[in-house]
Amino acid sequence: MAEFFSVGSSVPSNGNTPITIDIGDTPVTLAAFGISTPSGANRVLLDGTIGIRPTLLNPVVVLKVIRDNSQLIATVRQQIFVSLGEVQIVSFNGVDTNVPVGSHGYTLTAEIEGLGSDATVVGPIVYSGTSYKL
């Protein structure tokens, strides 16, 4: 049976709070949190929900989960297919396995893949993680 160890979260916008983050071809940080991990076999379960509005064409948005500003944990590619002005909700789950014991930072970034399209993150932005020992 798994034993929960630590929980971390970042909620810059729950969907009711106005937020506007323009996404371009350079990664922009959307959210970040810290979490502790236990010794032994462990995992960090990661969850995210992002509201994205296209501002030009149908952009492909690349979300990246990064541990400690250097270790890429997951990449999510999502093409936004809603009409201009509408919001598409993108959700994802990921697992970081056998994380070194200690405190770690998990960052969520977004960028546009390719040229000729743009998007804006308008909320919600909900990003969280739970560490546990197996």
Side-chain angles (χ1 to χ4, degrees), residues 12-84:
S13 170
N14 62 9
N16 296 322
T17 308
I19 193 166
T20 302
I21 301 173
D22 293 326
I23 309 171
D25 58 357
T26 303
V28 60
T29 298
L30 300 180
F33 64 85
I35 198 166
S36 297
T37 53
S39 61
N42 64 51
R43 293 184 178 162
V44 176
L45 177 62
L46 300 156
D47 298 294
T49 300
I50 314 298
I52 301 170
R53 178 182 295 145
T55 54
L56 183 61
L57 301 176
N58 297 104
V60 174
V61 175
V62 179
L63 301 171
K64 293 182 180 176
V65 175
I66 302 165
R67 179 180 4 111
D68 297 334
N69 296 320
S70 62
Q71 182 69 40
L72 180 63
I73 302 304
T75 301
V76 177
R77 293 178 71 248
Q78 177 68 52
Q79 187 158 20
I80 307 302
F81 281 116
V82 295
S83 300
L84 291 180

